[in-house]
Amino acid sequence: MKIRTGFDISFDCPTPIPMLLMLNIHPSREPDLLTEHKIVFDPPVPASDYNDGFGNRCTRIVAQPGRQSMRAEFLVRDYGDPDPIPHGAPQVAIENLPSDILVFLLGSRYCETDRLSDTAISLFGHIEPGWARVAAICAYVNNRITFDYQSARPTKTAWDAYMEQRGVCRDFAHLAITFCRCMNIPARYCTGYLGDIGVPVSPDPMDFSGWFDVFLGGRWYTCDARHNQPRIGRILMARGRDATDVAITTTFGTCILTGFTVITDEVT
């Protein structure tokens, strides 16, 4: 299938503001591009790309005073397969994990393993290690948290989401990631595009989506505690320890977000 994706984001800046943008699709999906992926800036500004320590494509700019807009629209080829369900995938013993995977067992800015370890053990310690345990974590988080845009805030952590029982997709992902790490299952945060393809159209405004990967049986698998069902048409943008590593925009100065539109739909 062909998926049309893109964004239109704008800020009001009182002074020149350096920014880091994680608005490119992930390099692993670049071979699937059917049209050029190019960020257009208005007014035009110099931009340079680099790959960060997690392999994500990042863009550096200095936004100009006044209205600074950035937009892109492109087509991506996708096989149209739902997320695989790895029934029976085993949990890998810590001593057998590749060294570069170990970082995804550790606590991070939004994933406080120290605060939720006892809770995780009490909830999931009796469940068979591996995919059965991950599935139980996703189901629990899906039931624990009610989706609510009004409860979103940049400082909200997995512990906050667990206690408040309300949140957005990143909060579902952070809590599930934290529980997985507490149970010695490597888990990493993912952000990207996810349209309502093959499912009823959501009444919520279109946004970038957050989900997570788990490392089982020697490879990574996609999980989504918010929807808790296989989905079609994920277009990955970035991966990291948590939302800190994959922020869509990081601004080094005070500015105001004045416009935000995301599109993701199937082209017939």
Side-chain angles (χ1 to χ4, degrees):
M1 63 171 58
K2 297 178 183 178
I3 300 176
R4 181 178 69 108
T5 56
F7 59 86
D8 192 338
I9 300 172
S10 59
F11 294 89
D12 276 350
C13 304
T15 61
I17 302 291
M19 292 186 178
L20 297 181
L21 312 175
M22 207 164 284
L23 291 166
N24 300 284
I25 69 169
H26 194 266
S28 63
R29 293 306 305 263
E30 288 178 355
D32 298 321
L33 283 170
L34 297 172
T35 59
E36 181 183 20
H37 183 299
K38 181 180 181 180
I39 303 175
V40 177
F41 298 97
D42 183 17
V45 293
S48 61
D49 289 350
Y50 70 96
N51 286 1
D52 69 9
F54 296 101
N56 305 312
R57 186 67 49 78
C58 310
T59 302
R60 299 178 63 176
I61 68 166
V62 177
Q64 295 305 294
R67 177 67 56 86
Q68 178 69 67
S69 297
M70 53 204 74
R71 64 180 63 88
E73 184 174 325
F74 51 97
L75 290 177
V76 182
R77 178 180 56 246
D78 191 85
Y79 287 109
D81 297 326
D83 304 324
I85 301 177
H87 294 292
Q91 188 163 327
V92 180
I94 293 176
E95 61 270 25
N96 295 328
L97 286 169
S99 296
D100 61 338
I101 302 296
L102 293 175
V103 66
F104 298 109
L105 286 175
L106 307 179
S108 54
R109 165 69 178 86
Y110 293 106
C111 299
E112 313 106 312
T113 52
D114 54 343
R115 303 190 74 177
L116 285 161
S117 180
D118 289 343
T119 301
I121 292 171
S122 67
L123 290 171
F124 312 112
H126 64 285
I127 298 173
E128 180 184 0
W131 175 250
R133 184 172 280 172
V134 173
I137 289 171
C138 288
Y140 177 86
V141 173
N142 180 266
N143 289 324
R144 176 80 182 183
I145 300 178
T146 299
F147 188 86
D148 178 18
Y149 265 119
Q150 302 306 312
S151 71
R153 63 180 186 274
T155 60
K156 193 168 190 175
T157 67
W159 172 259
D160 295 330
Y162 174 74
M163 296 299 294
E164 297 171 17
Q165 301 184 47
R166 307 187 76 82
V168 293
C169 56
R170 69 176 243 162
D171 302 312
F172 287 80
H174 283 151
L175 184 55
I177 287 169
T178 305
F179 281 148
C180 285
R181 293 177 183 172
C182 288
M183 303 308 297
N184 296 328
I185 302 169
R188 63 189 182 186
Y189 186 94
C190 303
T191 189
Y193 298 92
L194 180 62
D196 297 320
I197 299 174
V199 298
V201 176
S202 170
D204 299 313
M206 181 60 66
D207 196 351
F208 295 114
S209 186
W211 62 88
F212 70 106
D213 291 339
V214 294
F215 191 81
L216 295 173
R219 57 159 289 187
W220 290 101
Y221 291 96
T222 297
C223 299
D224 190 335
R226 178 196 168 184
H227 299 103
N228 199 32
Q229 63 175 324
R231 294 291 297 266
I232 295 170
R234 296 184 195 272
I235 308 298
L236 179 68
M237 296 170 69
R239 305 186 185 109
R241 294 165 298 178
D242 58 30
T244 302
D245 296 324
V246 300
I248 299 301
T249 60
T250 301
T251 61
F252 297 91
T254 301
C255 56
I256 299 173
L257 179 68
T258 55
F260 185 87
T261 303
V262 178
I263 56 172
T264 310
D265 52 38
E266 182 182 2
V267 178
T268 56

